[in-house]
Amino acid sequence: MWKSPEPKKTYDVIVVGGGGHGLGTAYYLAKEHGIKNIAVIEKGWLGSGNTGRNTTIIRSNYLWNESAFLYDHSVKLWENLSQELNYNMMFSQRGVMNLAHNEHDIKEMKRRISANRLNGLDTQWLETKEIKRLVPIMNTDNLRYPVLGAAYQPRGGVARHDAIAWGFAMRADEMGVDIIQNCEVQSIKTKNGKVEGVKTSKGFINAKKIAVVASGHTSVLAKTAGVRLPLQSRPLQALVSEPIKPVINTVVMSNAVHAYVSQSDKGELVIGAGTDGYNSFTQRGGYDVIEETVRAIVELYPIFGKMKMLRQWGGIVDICPDASPIISKCEVKGLYFNCGWGTGGFKATPGSANVFAHTVAKDEPHKINAAFNLERFSDGRLIDEHGAAAVAH
Amino acid sequence: MILINCPYCGERDQSEFSNGGEAHVARPENSENLNDKDWGRYVFYRDNPKGIFYERWVHTHGCRKWFNAVRNTSTDEILKIYKLNENPPSKESFTNTLKTPSGEPKVGSGNFTVKK
């Protein structure tokens, strides 16, 4: 599907991290900005990090203008990505529902819906009986936190996570991008405030520009270049059940009781849990976090009470203080970061890659990601999306 | 799951505790004269090492007292627990098990603690 060449001595751009965001960055750099001498360097296999570990939910119903434009840019790219990459993304716009469980949830969600509609997004309010019609298996009234309504985005949905990594990889490879797997970037070398290259397990590779898209490990790599980032790395867990007949044809999320669930095409329930309450790089996470999620799932869907879970895993997410990403240059010339996606980066994969490629190629941000800079942590222009991020952090 | 040895109550399940992030972050003395950049550094920037990490915990569902811990974030192994009025142990007294910055411990991610 793609070649696995030995690294050249020098590249115009080295992308560190072969997940969806990194491969997409290489793809858009080659396609839209005419840069061909690119390497994507991945320490494992493609998509082996958070690209292969998320719950594949796609939506754009974020509160603030900056986020709404960024995430909807991504949803619009998703809508045409199977055609563009000639590879089936299995993108299914089955809708995403965020449940309200109390008076505050209702007010906060209605505010968010209004903000979304002003930004041209298709979010709408659902009453409980409409939720019942869409998801008949849901227990809406006989539980500790009853379901009082929901914010619903019909254009939201799910996609196949491997497909976006492989799709971008194949098309980038065709345009001459070197995809180098099983090669670990160990440090970033700088000289006089400018990047020189990366030290890898396959030797030193020179680069004019380095784009770091290493999710949980971004701050570790940044430190080798002397850059400090406002990130904290934490495990985020997910689990899947045994396959069952189709019972749920949309994505249902609940911030308040912390449970979100969708059903894969194989029939497995895909369940997202929360982050652990402490920094860690162990890709597993604590059992109490799963327990909390499963408890909420069983209360919301009593029908799932006797199901068996097949697999559980964790990924390391890098969380920003304002729960919004950083897509930015930094004080080192030629060094760019696309990080801080926290618990919700998958949905943004094509959009993030697209604007990050622009940032790297032009050495200035695209207007969509201009606000997602590092300066916001000193000038105070935070983009606080703790409410719209589905996972509490 | 981590067991945490509370210096006041003894060994308890981690779910009884809350994490307070990086330890020993001093509030700048001259905060009224600080520029936005330095103030932002104090408010938003915390260490995030893979390896030896000095952090704070509070026994929320127990004695509700705060204390400090040194933990290896690549294995979740707690290396040292000390009270707030005790001096932090020096970083040199711990060996970092990581060979490369983004490397993993020998027995796979996180399994080191369990296996031991």
Side-chain angles (χ1 to χ4, degrees):
Chain A
M1 289 164 57
W2 49 81
K3 299 177 283 292
S4 289
E6 283 303 302
K8 290 189 242 172
K9 280 211 166 71
T10 301
Y11 288 97
D12 291 340
V13 179
I14 286 180
V15 179
V16 183
H21 292 258
L23 292 161
T25 304
Y27 169 79
Y28 287 114
L29 276 169
K31 180 175 169 258
E32 294 186 354
H33 303 284
I35 301 172
K36 305 288 178 186
N37 189 22
I38 306 173
V40 178
I41 303 181
E42 164 58 43
K43 74 171 170 178
W45 63 93
L46 299 188
S48 60
N50 295 344
T51 297
R53 291 164 193 267
N54 60 78
T55 50
T56 76
I57 297 167
I58 294 161
R59 61 188 173 93
S60 59
N61 55 348
Y62 281 70
L63 175 64
W64 301 108
N65 298 350
E66 295 86 350
S67 322
F69 295 149
L70 176 63
Y71 289 102
D72 209 50
H73 180 53
S74 192
V75 170
K76 283 175 188 154
L77 289 171
W78 272 113
E79 284 171 339
N80 196 37
L81 211 56
S82 292
Q83 279 71 29
E84 179 171 346
L85 300 177
N86 191 24
Y87 194 64
N88 190 355
M89 294 293 132
M90 296 171 77
F91 179 44
S92 158
Q93 291 178 295
R94 58 184 69 182
V96 172
M97 206 185 272
N98 288 84
L99 302 181
H101 295 273
N102 54 47
E103 203 57 38
H104 172 79
D105 279 0
I106 295 173
K107 285 184 178 150
E108 192 274 328
M109 278 181 197
K110 286 191 170 170
R111 175 192 180 208
R112 186 137 62 92
I113 290 168
S114 303
N116 286 168
R117 297 190 79 87
L118 285 171
N119 282 326
L121 305 181
D122 57 328
T123 325
Q124 64 196 64
W125 175 255
L126 296 183
E127 296 293 342
T128 310
K129 67 172 193 295
E130 294 167 293
I131 299 172
K132 262 308 236 200
R133 192 175 55 79
L134 285 167
V135 189
I137 60 167
M138 193 191 295
N139 170 19
T140 52
D141 47 11
N142 183 25
L143 70 172
R144 172 71 182 82
Y145 299 102
V147 177
L148 304 174
Y152 185 59
Q153 187 180 21
R155 281 165 66 237
V158 293
R160 184 178 177 214
H161 48 197
D162 291 329
I164 190 160
W166 297 346
F168 275 141
M170 285 189 291
R171 301 305 158 242
D173 177 76
E174 283 169 9
M175 290 185 284
V177 172
D178 281 0
I179 292 166
I180 300 158
Q181 298 178 76
N182 298 310
C183 176
E184 181 196 22
V185 171
Q186 295 166 341
S187 62
I188 297 163
K189 200 172 167 216
T190 62
K191 196 177 174 186
N192 302 328
K194 200 177 172 310
V195 294
E196 278 208 317
V198 291
K199 181 173 167 268
T200 75
S201 50
K202 291 188 176 175
F204 190 81
I205 309 171
N206 291 294
K208 291 181 190 143
K209 291 178 175 179
I210 299 171
V212 182
V213 205
S215 70
H217 282 80
T218 304
S219 48
V220 179
L221 282 170
K223 201 178 169 192
T224 66
V227 177
R228 204 163 184 227
L229 296 170
L231 298 173
Q232 298 283 288
S233 297
R234 292 186 165 188
L236 175 66
Q237 296 180 78
L239 50 158
V240 293
S241 74
E242 58 188 328
I244 54 169
K245 284 181 276 187
V247 287
I248 186 162
N249 64 357
T250 183
V251 181
V252 186
M253 328 179 68
S254 163
N255 288 16
V257 299
H258 214 293
Y260 56 101
V261 65
S262 63
Q263 189 170 17
S264 75
D265 292 340
K266 274 192 283 182
E268 301 160 328
L269 297 176
V270 182
I271 296 170
T275 53
D276 280 63
Y278 49 88
N279 290 9
S280 177
F281 289 82
T282 64
Q283 288 178 323
R284 47 173 191 185
Y287 212 73
D288 53 320
V289 176
I290 300 182
E291 194 181 349
E292 194 182 315
T293 294
V294 170
R295 195 159 52 210
I297 291 277
V298 170
E299 206 181 3
L300 267 177
Y301 312 95
I303 188 179
F304 297 156
K306 287 186 177 164
M307 279 186 81
K308 291 180 176 61
M309 292 297 148
L310 280 190
R311 298 188 298 282
Q312 164 274 338
W313 64 91
I316 303 304
V317 297
D318 46 335
I319 297 173
C320 257
D322 58 355
S324 284
I326 296 166
I327 311 171
S328 179
K329 336 198 260 185
C330 69
E331 68 259 30
V332 176
K333 209 169 166 346
L335 184 59
Y336 306 85
F337 289 100
N338 183 354
C339 58
W341 286 98
T343 57
F346 178 73
K347 65 176 85 71
T349 307
S352 128
N354 185 261
V355 295
F356 189 47
H358 182 282
T359 308
V360 173
K362 312 264 190 225
D363 195 38
E364 62 180 28
H366 189 282
K367 65 177 193 282
I368 291 178
N369 69 308
F372 296 89
N373 54 34
L374 272 168
E375 287 75 44
R376 73 180 194 265
F377 301 103
S378 49
D379 66 22
R381 291 176 206 275
L382 301 180
I383 306 157
D384 184 0
E385 288 292 0
H386 284 280
V391 178
H393 19 72
Chain B
M1 184 172 294
I2 311 176
L3 287 174
I4 298 177
N5 195 2
C6 171
Y8 306 97
C9 309
E11 204 163 69
R12 299 292 179 86
D13 194 287
Q14 166 258 315
S15 57
E16 287 187 17
F17 298 82
S18 307
N19 186 277
E22 188 187 357
H24 309 297
V25 180
R27 186 188 165 95
E29 298 254 342
N30 54 341
S31 56
E32 69 278 17
N33 301 323
L34 232 50
N35 61 32
D36 287 351
K37 197 176 173 194
D38 289 337
W39 183 245
R41 293 260 151 176
Y42 166 64
V43 174
F44 296 117
Y45 287 68
R46 293 291 178 270
D47 272 355
N48 185 30
K50 182 169 184 175
I52 311 298
F53 186 45
Y54 290 68
E55 63 185 356
R56 302 177 303 166
W57 287 90
V58 57
H59 196 176
T60 318
H61 302 292
C63 61
R64 299 175 67 186
K65 285 187 179 131
W66 285 87
F67 56 91
N68 291 326
V70 183
R71 185 168 52 93
N72 184 341
T73 59
S74 68
T75 61
D76 281 347
E77 186 182 13
I78 292 178
L79 305 166
K80 176 92 181 165
I81 283 178
Y82 55 102
K83 293 181 184 172
L84 291 184
N85 58 359
E86 290 170 351
N87 287 328
S90 74
K91 212 166 179 178
E92 288 70 44
S93 56
F94 307 105
T95 40
N96 200 341
T97 48
L98 290 173
K99 290 207 173 72
T100 59
S102 57
E104 305 292 339
K106 208 177 170 189
V107 196
S109 184
N111 296 327
F112 174 70
T113 320
V114 179
K115 198 142 183 172
K116 204 172 72 168

